[in-house]
Amino acid sequence: MLHHFLLTRFALRLWQTDKNGRPIDYRVWLAERFALFERYTLPSVLSLDDQRFTWILLVERTRDERVMTSLREKMESYKQLSPAILPIYIREGHGGSFCKIFSEVVSHCLAERHAAVGDICLTTYLDNDDTLRHDYSSVIRRVATESFQPYTFISFDYGLQYFTDIGLATRIYYPNNHFMTLMEPVKASGRVRTCYGYGSHFLLAENYGRDIVRHIDSRDTPMWIEIVHGHNVDNDVKMTLHTRIMTDSTYLSRHFGLQGITLLYRFSTVIRFVVRALQQIVRRLSDKITRR
């Protein structure tokens, strides 16, 4: 038996400043988060061809009654769209304990389903502003069923970046990405670690050895999109020798369920992308110098 969970930190107050060092206004951030989630993440998950998963949305409570009411109303509206959606509310100030909380929630779900020892549990990272390809869930099930490797992450190494401000998408190579799925067996204790239980996805190979990640070359079928927008805490241009600008204007709608998005491929757009990439390099260098 295979049990699949998408794990999303929907509204956790984990950062105080954005990628440009500006203080984050929580109300503004949350409003933007709703808009991004409903524009990109939600439609992509609803369009997945295999809906046999549970989508856990972790929500941190707030003493601001108006904000809390808005959060609850939004969660209820999302639940109406899909029975797979499971909002979990946690105490204010406990957002940093998301690793432990995800483990507890998934373990509880498995117990409720009477999951048997030896069943396969899959847990997938999914940020609240990113997307999955329409066949992500079916492909991940097939990979796990055909070649199950306990306590191993599956990484589709190629995905896309979509830049909302310039309407351009690039295919990128990102082997330590935040769209990986952990395979682990259900044990007699019923406890599972989940993908968040291993710390940063950046450091998996460094901390646990290269064999902890099974890399799949997905360059012909990018399996995810990192949405790059003005309110990202950290994400920006990832430029490597594998980077390719997407020229198919309908690619996102056909493969990711994102309607009304036309990719732009003009000289002016490419120039703006190159300028942005150079600005990213300067920012990274500045950060390193400042830390020193």
Side-chain angles (χ1 to χ4, degrees), residues 1-5 49-54 113 120-122 124 135-148 154 156 181 183 214 216 223:
M1 195 70 178
L2 193 152
H3 311 271
H4 187 195
F5 299 86
D49 56 6
D50 190 326
Q51 292 284 316
R52 290 176 293 172
F53 54 81
T54 298
R113 299 175 187 181
I120 298 174
C121 178
L122 303 177
T124 299
D135 56 351
Y136 185 100
S137 53
S138 58
V139 172
I140 210 74
R141 277 180 167 271
R142 185 175 72 247
V143 172
T145 301
E146 294 176 353
S147 55
F148 176 63
I154 301 169
F156 297 107
T181 295
M183 300 183 284
R214 178 183 174 186
I216 297 177
M223 296 297 289

PDB file of all heavy atoms in Angstrom, residues 1-5 49-54 113 120-122 124 135-148 154 156 181 183 214 216 223:
ATOM      1  N   MET A   1       0.850  -1.194   0.000  1.00  0.00           N
ATOM      2  CA  MET A   1       0.000   0.000   0.000  1.00  0.00           C
ATOM      3  C   MET A   1       0.884   1.241   0.000  1.00  0.00           C
ATOM      4  O   MET A   1       1.906   1.276   0.688  1.00  0.00           O
ATOM      5  CB  MET A   1      -0.897  -0.013   1.236  1.00  0.00           C
ATOM      6  CG  MET A   1      -2.056   0.947   1.187  1.00  0.00           C
ATOM      7  SD  MET A   1      -3.322   0.475   0.012  1.00  0.00           S
ATOM      8  CE  MET A   1      -4.503   1.776   0.277  1.00  0.00           C
ATOM      9  N   LEU A   2       0.507   2.233  -0.762  1.00  0.00           N
ATOM     10  CA  LEU A   2       1.304   3.447  -0.873  1.00  0.00           C
ATOM     11  C   LEU A   2       0.484   4.641  -0.388  1.00  0.00           C
ATOM     12  O   LEU A   2      -0.668   4.803  -0.783  1.00  0.00           O
ATOM     13  CB  LEU A   2       1.747   3.627  -2.321  1.00  0.00           C
ATOM     14  CG  LEU A   2       2.826   4.662  -2.617  1.00  0.00           C
ATOM     15  CD1 LEU A   2       3.609   4.260  -3.863  1.00  0.00           C
ATOM     16  CD2 LEU A   2       2.214   6.036  -2.822  1.00  0.00           C
ATOM     17  N   HIS A   3       1.093   5.467   0.473  1.00  0.00           N
ATOM     18  CA  HIS A   3       0.436   6.639   1.036  1.00  0.00           C
ATOM     19  C   HIS A   3       1.272   7.872   0.675  1.00  0.00           C
ATOM     20  O   HIS A   3       2.446   7.958   1.054  1.00  0.00           O
ATOM     21  CB  HIS A   3       0.321   6.516   2.554  1.00  0.00           C
ATOM     22  CG  HIS A   3      -0.242   5.205   3.007  1.00  0.00           C
ATOM     23  ND1 HIS A   3      -1.592   4.991   3.158  1.00  0.00           N
ATOM     24  CD2 HIS A   3       0.383   4.034   3.331  1.00  0.00           C
ATOM     25  CE1 HIS A   3      -1.788   3.752   3.574  1.00  0.00           C
ATOM     26  NE2 HIS A   3      -0.613   3.144   3.690  1.00  0.00           N
ATOM     27  N   HIS A   4       0.662   8.824  -0.031  1.00  0.00           N
ATOM     28  CA  HIS A   4       1.397   9.991  -0.518  1.00  0.00           C
ATOM     29  C   HIS A   4       0.860  11.257   0.154  1.00  0.00           C
ATOM     30  O   HIS A   4      -0.347  11.473   0.229  1.00  0.00           O
ATOM     31  CB  HIS A   4       1.251  10.104  -2.038  1.00  0.00           C
ATOM     32  CG  HIS A   4       2.099  11.163  -2.652  1.00  0.00           C
ATOM     33  ND1 HIS A   4       1.907  11.631  -3.939  1.00  0.00           N
ATOM     34  CD2 HIS A   4       3.166  11.871  -2.170  1.00  0.00           C
ATOM     35  CE1 HIS A   4       2.806  12.565  -4.206  1.00  0.00           C
ATOM     36  NE2 HIS A   4       3.571  12.732  -3.149  1.00  0.00           N
ATOM     37  N   PHE A   5       1.798  12.100   0.615  1.00  0.00           N
ATOM     38  CA  PHE A   5       1.441  13.359   1.263  1.00  0.00           C
ATOM     39  C   PHE A   5       2.228  14.509   0.636  1.00  0.00           C
ATOM     40  O   PHE A   5       3.446  14.405   0.460  1.00  0.00           O
ATOM     41  CB  PHE A   5       1.767  13.311   2.765  1.00  0.00           C
ATOM     42  CG  PHE A   5       1.021  12.249   3.521  1.00  0.00           C
ATOM     43  CD1 PHE A   5       1.516  10.951   3.588  1.00  0.00           C
ATOM     44  CD2 PHE A   5      -0.172  12.545   4.162  1.00  0.00           C
ATOM     45  CE1 PHE A   5       0.826   9.960   4.274  1.00  0.00           C
ATOM     46  CE2 PHE A   5      -0.873  11.569   4.858  1.00  0.00           C
ATOM     47  CZ  PHE A   5      -0.366  10.271   4.918  1.00  0.00           C
ATOM     48  N   ASP A  49      -2.913  14.432 -12.302  1.00  0.00           N
ATOM     49  CA  ASP A  49      -3.716  13.358 -12.882  1.00  0.00           C
ATOM     50  C   ASP A  49      -4.008  12.226 -11.911  1.00  0.00           C
ATOM     51  O   ASP A  49      -4.917  11.430 -12.146  1.00  0.00           O
ATOM     52  CB  ASP A  49      -3.057  12.815 -14.161  1.00  0.00           C
ATOM     53  CG  ASP A  49      -1.625  12.349 -13.931  1.00  0.00           C
ATOM     54  OD1 ASP A  49      -1.172  12.342 -12.769  1.00  0.00           O
ATOM     55  OD2 ASP A  49      -0.954  11.987 -14.913  1.00  0.00           O
ATOM     56  N   ASP A  50      -3.243  12.120 -10.838  1.00  0.00           N
ATOM     57  CA  ASP A  50      -3.511  11.112  -9.810  1.00  0.00           C
ATOM     58  C   ASP A  50      -3.732  11.855  -8.502  1.00  0.00           C
ATOM     59  O   ASP A  50      -2.800  12.449  -7.954  1.00  0.00           O
ATOM     60  CB  ASP A  50      -2.329  10.145  -9.698  1.00  0.00           C
ATOM     61  CG  ASP A  50      -2.644   8.929  -8.830  1.00  0.00           C
ATOM     62  OD1 ASP A  50      -3.411   9.088  -7.849  1.00  0.00           O
ATOM     63  OD2 ASP A  50      -2.129   7.838  -9.114  1.00  0.00           O
ATOM     64  N   GLN A  51      -4.956  11.836  -8.009  1.00  0.00           N
ATOM     65  CA  GLN A  51      -5.321  12.605  -6.818  1.00  0.00           C
ATOM     66  C   GLN A  51      -5.270  11.770  -5.536  1.00  0.00           C
ATOM     67  O   GLN A  51      -5.802  12.181  -4.502  1.00  0.00           O
ATOM     68  CB  GLN A  51      -6.721  13.183  -6.992  1.00  0.00           C
ATOM     69  CG  GLN A  51      -6.807  14.265  -8.063  1.00  0.00           C
ATOM     70  CD  GLN A  51      -6.240  15.601  -7.605  1.00  0.00           C
ATOM     71  OE1 GLN A  51      -6.499  16.053  -6.491  1.00  0.00           O
ATOM     72  NE2 GLN A  51      -5.460  16.249  -8.474  1.00  0.00           N
ATOM     73  N   ARG A  52      -4.582  10.659  -5.553  1.00  0.00           N
ATOM     74  CA  ARG A  52      -4.489   9.804  -4.365  1.00  0.00           C
ATOM     75  C   ARG A  52      -3.364  10.291  -3.445  1.00  0.00           C
ATOM     76  O   ARG A  52      -2.308   9.667  -3.335  1.00  0.00           O
ATOM     77  CB  ARG A  52      -4.265   8.347  -4.769  1.00  0.00           C
ATOM     78  CG  ARG A  52      -5.472   7.683  -5.418  1.00  0.00           C
ATOM     79  CD  ARG A  52      -5.139   6.274  -5.868  1.00  0.00           C
ATOM     80  NE  ARG A  52      -4.166   6.282  -6.952  1.00  0.00           N
ATOM     81  CZ  ARG A  52      -3.573   5.183  -7.430  1.00  0.00           C
ATOM     82  NH1 ARG A  52      -3.843   4.004  -6.901  1.00  0.00           N
ATOM     83  NH2 ARG A  52      -2.708   5.274  -8.434  1.00  0.00           N
ATOM     84  N   PHE A  53      -3.615  11.422  -2.820  1.00  0.00           N
ATOM     85  CA  PHE A  53      -2.649  11.977  -1.872  1.00  0.00           C
ATOM     86  C   PHE A  53      -3.418  12.819  -0.868  1.00  0.00           C
ATOM     87  O   PHE A  53      -4.599  13.132  -1.058  1.00  0.00           O
ATOM     88  CB  PHE A  53      -1.595  12.841  -2.589  1.00  0.00           C
ATOM     89  CG  PHE A  53      -2.183  13.935  -3.441  1.00  0.00           C
ATOM     90  CD1 PHE A  53      -2.618  15.137  -2.890  1.00  0.00           C
ATOM     91  CD2 PHE A  53      -2.312  13.764  -4.815  1.00  0.00           C
ATOM     92  CE1 PHE A  53      -3.166  16.142  -3.670  1.00  0.00           C
ATOM     93  CE2 PHE A  53      -2.868  14.754  -5.615  1.00  0.00           C
ATOM     94  CZ  PHE A  53      -3.297  15.948  -5.037  1.00  0.00           C
ATOM     95  N   THR A  54      -2.740  13.171   0.217  1.00  0.00           N
ATOM     96  CA  THR A  54      -3.279  14.115   1.192  1.00  0.00           C
ATOM     97  C   THR A  54      -2.384  15.332   1.176  1.00  0.00           C
ATOM     98  O   THR A  54      -1.153  15.212   1.252  1.00  0.00           O
ATOM     99  CB  THR A  54      -3.308  13.507   2.603  1.00  0.00           C
ATOM    100  OG1 THR A  54      -4.168  12.361   2.599  1.00  0.00           O
ATOM    101  CG2 THR A  54      -3.819  14.520   3.630  1.00  0.00           C
ATOM    102  N   ARG A 113      -5.617   5.474   8.949  1.00  0.00           N
ATOM    103  CA  ARG A 113      -5.869   4.629   7.781  1.00  0.00           C
ATOM    104  C   ARG A 113      -5.519   3.168   8.045  1.00  0.00           C
ATOM    105  O   ARG A 113      -5.636   2.336   7.147  1.00  0.00           O
ATOM    106  CB  ARG A 113      -5.041   5.124   6.591  1.00  0.00           C
ATOM    107  CG  ARG A 113      -5.358   6.534   6.178  1.00  0.00           C
ATOM    108  CD  ARG A 113      -4.422   6.989   5.089  1.00  0.00           C
ATOM    109  NE  ARG A 113      -4.606   8.396   4.795  1.00  0.00           N
ATOM    110  CZ  ARG A 113      -3.920   9.058   3.859  1.00  0.00           C
ATOM    111  NH1 ARG A 113      -3.002   8.426   3.152  1.00  0.00           N
ATOM    112  NH2 ARG A 113      -4.148  10.332   3.646  1.00  0.00           N
ATOM    113  N   ILE A 120       4.387   1.855   2.031  1.00  0.00           N
ATOM    114  CA  ILE A 120       5.290   2.921   1.598  1.00  0.00           C
ATOM    115  C   ILE A 120       4.658   4.280   1.894  1.00  0.00           C
ATOM    116  O   ILE A 120       3.508   4.527   1.531  1.00  0.00           O
ATOM    117  CB  ILE A 120       5.596   2.808   0.097  1.00  0.00           C
ATOM    118  CG1 ILE A 120       6.297   1.480  -0.219  1.00  0.00           C
ATOM    119  CG2 ILE A 120       6.461   3.983  -0.366  1.00  0.00           C
ATOM    120  CD1 ILE A 120       6.490   1.235  -1.705  1.00  0.00           C
ATOM    121  N   CYS A 121       5.421   5.135   2.551  1.00  0.00           N
ATOM    122  CA  CYS A 121       4.987   6.511   2.801  1.00  0.00           C
ATOM    123  C   CYS A 121       5.834   7.458   1.962  1.00  0.00           C
ATOM    124  O   CYS A 121       7.074   7.421   2.037  1.00  0.00           O
ATOM    125  CB  CYS A 121       5.128   6.857   4.284  1.00  0.00           C
ATOM    126  SG  CYS A 121       4.664   8.567   4.686  1.00  0.00           S
ATOM    127  N   LEU A 122       5.187   8.282   1.162  1.00  0.00           N
ATOM    128  CA  LEU A 122       5.867   9.281   0.343  1.00  0.00           C
ATOM    129  C   LEU A 122       5.503  10.665   0.858  1.00  0.00           C
ATOM    130  O   LEU A 122       4.325  10.965   1.043  1.00  0.00           O
ATOM    131  CB  LEU A 122       5.441   9.177  -1.122  1.00  0.00           C
ATOM    132  CG  LEU A 122       5.630   7.837  -1.824  1.00  0.00           C
ATOM    133  CD1 LEU A 122       5.081   7.925  -3.245  1.00  0.00           C
ATOM    134  CD2 LEU A 122       7.095   7.437  -1.840  1.00  0.00           C
ATOM    135  N   THR A 124       6.269  14.791   0.026  1.00  0.00           N
ATOM    136  CA  THR A 124       6.812  15.685  -0.992  1.00  0.00           C
ATOM    137  C   THR A 124       6.832  17.126  -0.502  1.00  0.00           C
ATOM    138  O   THR A 124       5.831  17.632   0.010  1.00  0.00           O
ATOM    139  CB  THR A 124       5.946  15.625  -2.272  1.00  0.00           C
ATOM    140  OG1 THR A 124       5.956  14.290  -2.787  1.00  0.00           O
ATOM    141  CG2 THR A 124       6.461  16.582  -3.342  1.00  0.00           C
ATOM    142  N   ASP A 135       1.603  15.368 -14.197  1.00  0.00           N
ATOM    143  CA  ASP A 135       1.791  13.938 -13.949  1.00  0.00           C
ATOM    144  C   ASP A 135       2.773  13.655 -12.813  1.00  0.00           C
ATOM    145  O   ASP A 135       3.229  12.520 -12.657  1.00  0.00           O
ATOM    146  CB  ASP A 135       2.249  13.232 -15.232  1.00  0.00           C
ATOM    147  CG  ASP A 135       3.516  13.851 -15.829  1.00  0.00           C
ATOM    148  OD1 ASP A 135       3.952  14.922 -15.349  1.00  0.00           O
ATOM    149  OD2 ASP A 135       4.057  13.279 -16.783  1.00  0.00           O
ATOM    150  N   TYR A 136       3.069  14.665 -12.000  1.00  0.00           N
ATOM    151  CA  TYR A 136       4.036  14.465 -10.911  1.00  0.00           C
ATOM    152  C   TYR A 136       3.611  13.325  -9.989  1.00  0.00           C
ATOM    153  O   TYR A 136       4.413  12.430  -9.676  1.00  0.00           O
ATOM    154  CB  TYR A 136       4.204  15.750 -10.100  1.00  0.00           C
ATOM    155  CG  TYR A 136       5.288  15.649  -9.036  1.00  0.00           C
ATOM    156  CD1 TYR A 136       6.551  16.184  -9.258  1.00  0.00           C
ATOM    157  CD2 TYR A 136       5.049  15.014  -7.824  1.00  0.00           C
ATOM    158  CE1 TYR A 136       7.546  16.083  -8.300  1.00  0.00           C
ATOM    159  CE2 TYR A 136       6.038  14.895  -6.863  1.00  0.00           C
ATOM    160  CZ  TYR A 136       7.290  15.441  -7.102  1.00  0.00           C
ATOM    161  OH  TYR A 136       8.275  15.318  -6.151  1.00  0.00           O
ATOM    162  N   SER A 137       2.372  13.333  -9.540  1.00  0.00           N
ATOM    163  CA  SER A 137       1.933  12.336  -8.560  1.00  0.00           C
ATOM    164  C   SER A 137       1.944  10.923  -9.136  1.00  0.00           C
ATOM    165  O   SER A 137       2.330   9.963  -8.458  1.00  0.00           O
ATOM    166  CB  SER A 137       0.544  12.685  -8.020  1.00  0.00           C
ATOM    167  OG  SER A 137      -0.376  12.878  -9.068  1.00  0.00           O
ATOM    168  N   SER A 138       1.537  10.765 -10.397  1.00  0.00           N
ATOM    169  CA  SER A 138       1.531   9.421 -10.998  1.00  0.00           C
ATOM    170  C   SER A 138       2.954   8.928 -11.251  1.00  0.00           C
ATOM    171  O   SER A 138       3.254   7.742 -11.041  1.00  0.00           O
ATOM    172  CB  SER A 138       0.727   9.422 -12.296  1.00  0.00           C
ATOM    173  OG  SER A 138       1.243  10.345 -13.229  1.00  0.00           O
ATOM    174  N   VAL A 139       3.837   9.815 -11.680  1.00  0.00           N
ATOM    175  CA  VAL A 139       5.220   9.412 -11.925  1.00  0.00           C
ATOM    176  C   VAL A 139       5.912   9.045 -10.619  1.00  0.00           C
ATOM    177  O   VAL A 139       6.629   8.038 -10.539  1.00  0.00           O
ATOM    178  CB  VAL A 139       5.997  10.539 -12.649  1.00  0.00           C
ATOM    179  CG1 VAL A 139       7.481  10.195 -12.733  1.00  0.00           C
ATOM    180  CG2 VAL A 139       5.436  10.758 -14.055  1.00  0.00           C
ATOM    181  N   ILE A 140       5.690   9.833  -9.566  1.00  0.00           N
ATOM    182  CA  ILE A 140       6.350   9.554  -8.292  1.00  0.00           C
ATOM    183  C   ILE A 140       5.852   8.225  -7.728  1.00  0.00           C
ATOM    184  O   ILE A 140       6.621   7.444  -7.136  1.00  0.00           O
ATOM    185  CB  ILE A 140       6.132  10.717  -7.298  1.00  0.00           C
ATOM    186  CG1 ILE A 140       7.326  10.827  -6.336  1.00  0.00           C
ATOM    187  CG2 ILE A 140       4.868  10.567  -6.484  1.00  0.00           C
ATOM    188  CD1 ILE A 140       8.561  11.386  -6.931  1.00  0.00           C
ATOM    189  N   ARG A 141       4.579   7.915  -7.919  1.00  0.00           N
ATOM    190  CA  ARG A 141       4.047   6.624  -7.483  1.00  0.00           C
ATOM    191  C   ARG A 141       4.703   5.482  -8.256  1.00  0.00           C
ATOM    192  O   ARG A 141       5.055   4.445  -7.672  1.00  0.00           O
ATOM    193  CB  ARG A 141       2.533   6.577  -7.685  1.00  0.00           C
ATOM    194  CG  ARG A 141       1.736   7.208  -6.567  1.00  0.00           C
ATOM    195  CD  ARG A 141       0.241   7.127  -6.826  1.00  0.00           C
ATOM    196  NE  ARG A 141      -0.509   7.464  -5.632  1.00  0.00           N
ATOM    197  CZ  ARG A 141      -0.883   6.598  -4.713  1.00  0.00           C
ATOM    198  NH1 ARG A 141      -0.587   5.317  -4.851  1.00  0.00           N
ATOM    199  NH2 ARG A 141      -1.552   6.974  -3.644  1.00  0.00           N
ATOM    200  N   ARG A 142       4.847   5.660  -9.540  1.00  0.00           N
ATOM    201  CA  ARG A 142       5.439   4.603 -10.359  1.00  0.00           C
ATOM    202  C   ARG A 142       6.893   4.357  -9.967  1.00  0.00           C
ATOM    203  O   ARG A 142       7.323   3.201  -9.806  1.00  0.00           O
ATOM    204  CB  ARG A 142       5.349   4.961 -11.840  1.00  0.00           C
ATOM    205  CG  ARG A 142       5.848   3.845 -12.748  1.00  0.00           C
ATOM    206  CD  ARG A 142       5.656   4.154 -14.205  1.00  0.00           C
ATOM    207  NE  ARG A 142       6.581   5.183 -14.672  1.00  0.00           N
ATOM    208  CZ  ARG A 142       6.220   6.387 -15.064  1.00  0.00           C
ATOM    209  NH1 ARG A 142       4.945   6.746 -15.038  1.00  0.00           N
ATOM    210  NH2 ARG A 142       7.104   7.259 -15.477  1.00  0.00           N
ATOM    211  N   VAL A 143       7.647   5.445  -9.789  1.00  0.00           N
ATOM    212  CA  VAL A 143       9.060   5.301  -9.404  1.00  0.00           C
ATOM    213  C   VAL A 143       9.175   4.590  -8.065  1.00  0.00           C
ATOM    214  O   VAL A 143       9.993   3.674  -7.894  1.00  0.00           O
ATOM    215  CB  VAL A 143       9.738   6.685  -9.338  1.00  0.00           C
ATOM    216  CG1 VAL A 143      11.138   6.563  -8.750  1.00  0.00           C
ATOM    217  CG2 VAL A 143       9.809   7.321 -10.724  1.00  0.00           C
ATOM    218  N   ALA A 144       8.353   5.001  -7.095  1.00  0.00           N
ATOM    219  CA  ALA A 144       8.422   4.398  -5.762  1.00  0.00           C
ATOM    220  C   ALA A 144       8.003   2.934  -5.773  1.00  0.00           C
ATOM    221  O   ALA A 144       8.577   2.104  -5.062  1.00  0.00           O
ATOM    222  CB  ALA A 144       7.539   5.187  -4.800  1.00  0.00           C
ATOM    223  N   THR A 145       7.017   2.601  -6.577  1.00  0.00           N
ATOM    224  CA  THR A 145       6.525   1.223  -6.638  1.00  0.00           C
ATOM    225  C   THR A 145       7.515   0.305  -7.337  1.00  0.00           C
ATOM    226  O   THR A 145       7.769  -0.824  -6.887  1.00  0.00           O
ATOM    227  CB  THR A 145       5.169   1.168  -7.367  1.00  0.00           C
ATOM    228  OG1 THR A 145       4.231   2.004  -6.671  1.00  0.00           O
ATOM    229  CG2 THR A 145       4.635  -0.257  -7.418  1.00  0.00           C
ATOM    230  N   GLU A 146       8.100   0.796  -8.431  1.00  0.00           N
ATOM    231  CA  GLU A 146       8.987  -0.047  -9.234  1.00  0.00           C
ATOM    232  C   GLU A 146      10.374  -0.185  -8.626  1.00  0.00           C
ATOM    233  O   GLU A 146      11.046  -1.199  -8.842  1.00  0.00           O
ATOM    234  CB  GLU A 146       9.099   0.514 -10.651  1.00  0.00           C
ATOM    235  CG  GLU A 146       7.786   0.441 -11.438  1.00  0.00           C
ATOM    236  CD  GLU A 146       7.894   1.096 -12.800  1.00  0.00           C
ATOM    237  OE1 GLU A 146       8.950   1.721 -13.077  1.00  0.00           O
ATOM    238  OE2 GLU A 146       6.923   0.988 -13.577  1.00  0.00           O
ATOM    239  N   SER A 147      10.819   0.816  -7.887  1.00  0.00           N
ATOM    240  CA  SER A 147      12.196   0.747  -7.346  1.00  0.00           C
ATOM    241  C   SER A 147      12.256   1.426  -5.985  1.00  0.00           C
ATOM    242  O   SER A 147      12.952   2.435  -5.818  1.00  0.00           O
ATOM    243  CB  SER A 147      13.171   1.401  -8.321  1.00  0.00           C
ATOM    244  OG  SER A 147      12.771   2.724  -8.623  1.00  0.00           O
ATOM    245  N   PHE A 148      11.529   0.879  -5.020  1.00  0.00           N
ATOM    246  CA  PHE A 148      11.490   1.456  -3.683  1.00  0.00           C
ATOM    247  C   PHE A 148      12.849   1.324  -3.004  1.00  0.00           C
ATOM    248  O   PHE A 148      13.428   0.241  -2.928  1.00  0.00           O
ATOM    249  CB  PHE A 148      10.419   0.752  -2.843  1.00  0.00           C
ATOM    250  CG  PHE A 148      10.375   1.220  -1.414  1.00  0.00           C
ATOM    251  CD1 PHE A 148      10.056   2.536  -1.108  1.00  0.00           C
ATOM    252  CD2 PHE A 148      10.663   0.342  -0.374  1.00  0.00           C
ATOM    253  CE1 PHE A 148      10.023   2.983   0.207  1.00  0.00           C
ATOM    254  CE2 PHE A 148      10.616   0.779   0.950  1.00  0.00           C
ATOM    255  CZ  PHE A 148      10.305   2.096   1.237  1.00  0.00           C
ATOM    256  N   ILE A 154      13.664  11.149  -3.906  1.00  0.00           N
ATOM    257  CA  ILE A 154      13.582  11.172  -5.368  1.00  0.00           C
ATOM    258  C   ILE A 154      13.657  12.622  -5.811  1.00  0.00           C
ATOM    259  O   ILE A 154      12.862  13.456  -5.373  1.00  0.00           O
ATOM    260  CB  ILE A 154      12.262  10.551  -5.864  1.00  0.00           C
ATOM    261  CG1 ILE A 154      12.129   9.107  -5.395  1.00  0.00           C
ATOM    262  CG2 ILE A 154      12.181  10.631  -7.391  1.00  0.00           C
ATOM    263  CD1 ILE A 154      10.741   8.527  -5.627  1.00  0.00           C
ATOM    264  N   PHE A 156      13.648  15.035  -9.185  1.00  0.00           N
ATOM    265  CA  PHE A 156      13.592  15.332 -10.619  1.00  0.00           C
ATOM    266  C   PHE A 156      14.477  16.553 -10.806  1.00  0.00           C
ATOM    267  O   PHE A 156      14.130  17.662 -10.391  1.00  0.00           O
ATOM    268  CB  PHE A 156      12.153  15.609 -11.049  1.00  0.00           C
ATOM    269  CG  PHE A 156      11.240  14.421 -10.875  1.00  0.00           C
ATOM    270  CD1 PHE A 156      10.301  14.395  -9.856  1.00  0.00           C
ATOM    271  CD2 PHE A 156      11.351  13.326 -11.709  1.00  0.00           C
ATOM    272  CE1 PHE A 156       9.461  13.306  -9.685  1.00  0.00           C
ATOM    273  CE2 PHE A 156      10.524  12.217 -11.551  1.00  0.00           C
ATOM    274  CZ  PHE A 156       9.579  12.208 -10.529  1.00  0.00           C
ATOM    275  N   THR A 181      10.876  14.154  -3.057  1.00  0.00           N
ATOM    276  CA  THR A 181       9.971  13.267  -2.333  1.00  0.00           C
ATOM    277  C   THR A 181      10.772  12.203  -1.599  1.00  0.00           C
ATOM    278  O   THR A 181      11.654  11.564  -2.186  1.00  0.00           O
ATOM    279  CB  THR A 181       8.992  12.574  -3.305  1.00  0.00           C
ATOM    280  OG1 THR A 181       8.142  13.560  -3.894  1.00  0.00           O
ATOM    281  CG2 THR A 181       8.138  11.542  -2.586  1.00  0.00           C
ATOM    282  N   MET A 183      11.023   8.595   0.265  1.00  0.00           N
ATOM    283  CA  MET A 183      10.417   7.269   0.381  1.00  0.00           C
ATOM    284  C   MET A 183      10.826   6.672   1.729  1.00  0.00           C
ATOM    285  O   MET A 183      12.019   6.614   2.035  1.00  0.00           O
ATOM    286  CB  MET A 183      10.918   6.339  -0.735  1.00  0.00           C
ATOM    287  CG  MET A 183      10.630   6.803  -2.143  1.00  0.00           C
ATOM    288  SD  MET A 183      11.189   5.597  -3.400  1.00  0.00           S
ATOM    289  CE  MET A 183      12.973   5.878  -3.386  1.00  0.00           C
ATOM    290  N   ARG A 214      18.097   9.963  -5.034  1.00  0.00           N
ATOM    291  CA  ARG A 214      18.066   9.301  -6.333  1.00  0.00           C
ATOM    292  C   ARG A 214      17.720  10.355  -7.372  1.00  0.00           C
ATOM    293  O   ARG A 214      16.608  10.891  -7.388  1.00  0.00           O
ATOM    294  CB  ARG A 214      17.024   8.182  -6.364  1.00  0.00           C
ATOM    295  CG  ARG A 214      16.951   7.524  -7.737  1.00  0.00           C
ATOM    296  CD  ARG A 214      15.883   6.475  -7.814  1.00  0.00           C
ATOM    297  NE  ARG A 214      15.758   5.988  -9.180  1.00  0.00           N
ATOM    298  CZ  ARG A 214      14.826   5.148  -9.589  1.00  0.00           C
ATOM    299  NH1 ARG A 214      13.929   4.694  -8.735  1.00  0.00           N
ATOM    300  NH2 ARG A 214      14.779   4.759 -10.847  1.00  0.00           N
ATOM    301  N   ILE A 216      16.870  11.872 -11.005  1.00  0.00           N
ATOM    302  CA  ILE A 216      16.229  11.499 -12.266  1.00  0.00           C
ATOM    303  C   ILE A 216      16.405  12.641 -13.258  1.00  0.00           C
ATOM    304  O   ILE A 216      16.066  13.791 -12.971  1.00  0.00           O
ATOM    305  CB  ILE A 216      14.734  11.199 -12.058  1.00  0.00           C
ATOM    306  CG1 ILE A 216      14.578   9.986 -11.122  1.00  0.00           C
ATOM    307  CG2 ILE A 216      14.038  10.948 -13.395  1.00  0.00           C
ATOM    308  CD1 ILE A 216      13.142   9.644 -10.798  1.00  0.00           C
ATOM    309  N   MET A 223       9.633  18.819 -14.187  1.00  0.00           N
ATOM    310  CA  MET A 223       8.542  18.316 -13.348  1.00  0.00           C
ATOM    311  C   MET A 223       8.003  19.316 -12.347  1.00  0.00           C
ATOM    312  O   MET A 223       7.074  19.007 -11.605  1.00  0.00           O
ATOM    313  CB  MET A 223       9.009  17.058 -12.613  1.00  0.00           C
ATOM    314  CG  MET A 223       9.339  15.885 -13.529  1.00  0.00           C
ATOM    315  SD  MET A 223       7.901  15.289 -14.470  1.00  0.00           S
ATOM    316  CE  MET A 223       6.943  14.525 -13.178  1.00  0.00           C
TER     317      MET A 223
END
